[in-house]
Amino acid sequence: MSDVLAARIAQGQLTGLSRSKKVVPAGPFTGLLTEGGHPMMSYAVATQPGEPVTDLGDSLDVLRAAFPPGALRFELVEQACPGAAELLEAAGLKVTARVPLMVVDPATVTLPAPPDGVEVAVVATAADQAAGGAVAHHAFGAPGEPGPGSEPGPAEDGGSVVAWLHGQAVAIASWTQVAEGVTEIVGIATAAEHRRKGLATLATAHAVKAAQAAGATLTWLTPGDDGAERVYANVGFTKVADAIHLAEADA
C-alpha cells in the first residue's frame, strides 16, 4: 500500500508541476525548470512513478544541457522509482537529503481549537499574502526583505492560510496545485516569538482542509526535522515513503 501511495504522490507531483514549469523529457526522468527562478526551484523527477529505473541511458547528458552548469538536482520519491538513487550515486551525484514523506487523507483531519485571540483564514488578498509571506521569510532566514504579495488565484492552483493574532500574521501554511487529487503542504512557518503554542499544527490542519475544499483527496509533506515530524503527526500525517534529493557537487 505504501508503494502505491508513493507512486500516486510522485505522479501527482509530475502532473501538477508540468503545468507551471518548462518540461525536459530525459528517459527515466523529467526535468522541471523554473525559468528565471531560484536554482532550488528546478529539479528532475521520475518519469514513470511506480516503475523501477534500471538504466540511465543519456538522461544525464540531456538534463545537463537543459539545466544551468552544475545545477542539476533530483527530487525523488525513493519507493516510487526503485534503483534510481543507486544509479545516480554511481554516476557521481551526491545524496543531499533523505527525509520522511508523510501523508494524510484530508477527510480524516479535524481542525484543532485555536488559542485565545487567534483566527485562521485562507489568504484572499495580496496584502494578506504579503503579511503571511513575511512570517515565512523571517522564519526561514531568507536574505533581504520580504517581497510584495500577489493576488491569490483559484484554490485548485494552490494557496495559503494565515493565522492571525489581534490582526498580526503569526503563522502560515500553503498547499501546491492540486493534480489528480494530490497536493503538497509547504511553507509552514511560525513567527519566532509565537512558537511552541500549537500554531504550526493549527495552520497545517487548516491548509489541509483548504486543499480538500479545492479537490485534494491526498495531502503530503516532508518534515525538516524530528520536531516538525511530531507536529505533523499531531495533524494525522503518517510516514509512507522516503523523499531523496540528489545533486551534482556544484549544485
Side-chain angles (χ1 to χ4, degrees):
M1 185 61 170
S2 294
D3 289 351
V4 173
L5 287 173
R8 185 182 170 196
I9 290 165
Q11 185 60 58
Q13 181 186 37
L14 174 60
T15 301
L17 293 174
S18 295
R19 299 171 184 167
S20 58
K21 295 177 181 282
K22 177 183 177 182
V23 176
V24 181
F29 305 109
T30 297
L32 300 170
L33 286 86
T34 301
E35 297 179 301
H38 191 281
M40 292 294 287
M41 297 174 67
S42 297
Y43 46 86
V45 299
T47 298
Q48 294 183 300
E51 296 295 324
V53 177
T54 59
D55 184 8
L56 297 181
D58 64 351
S59 61
L60 292 181
D61 291 336
V62 172
L63 291 169
R64 284 174 176 142
F67 279 68
L72 177 57
R73 300 174 54 252
F74 291 80
E75 294 193 4
L76 306 174
V77 179
E78 194 164 15
Q79 288 81 353
C81 51
E86 291 80 1
L87 289 173
L88 291 170
E89 283 190 90
L93 281 85
K94 305 296 183 184
V95 175
T96 58
R98 180 182 271 110
V99 294
L101 192 154
M102 306 176 74
V103 305
V104 71
D105 177 349
T108 67
V109 172
T110 301
L111 295 176
D116 289 345
V118 173
E119 297 180 349
V120 183
V122 174
V123 167
T125 68
D128 289 352
Q129 184 65 57
V135 171
H137 181 93
H138 295 303
F140 297 138
E145 294 300 315
S150 57
E151 292 293 337
E156 59 267 26
D157 290 341
S160 301
V161 298
V162 171
W164 302 87
L165 176 62
H166 306 312
Q168 176 187 0
V170 293
I172 185 173
S174 303
W175 69 96
T176 61
Q177 185 177 61
V178 179
E180 301 187 19
V182 178
T183 186
E184 182 182 6
I185 305 299
V186 298
I188 303 160
T190 304
E193 64 273 25
H194 293 285
R195 291 175 184 164
R196 301 189 182 280
K197 299 178 182 178
L199 296 177
T201 299
L202 181 68
T204 300
H206 274 268
V208 168
K209 299 306 284 187
Q212 180 187 17
T217 56
L218 181 68
T219 55
W220 66 279
L221 50 69
T222 52
D225 53 41
D226 290 344
E229 186 171 354
R230 288 191 292 272
V231 167
Y232 306 141
N234 288 338
V235 177
F237 283 90
T238 58
K239 178 185 173 182
V240 297
D242 298 283
I244 183 168
H245 297 180
L246 303 99
E248 294 186 296
D250 296 335

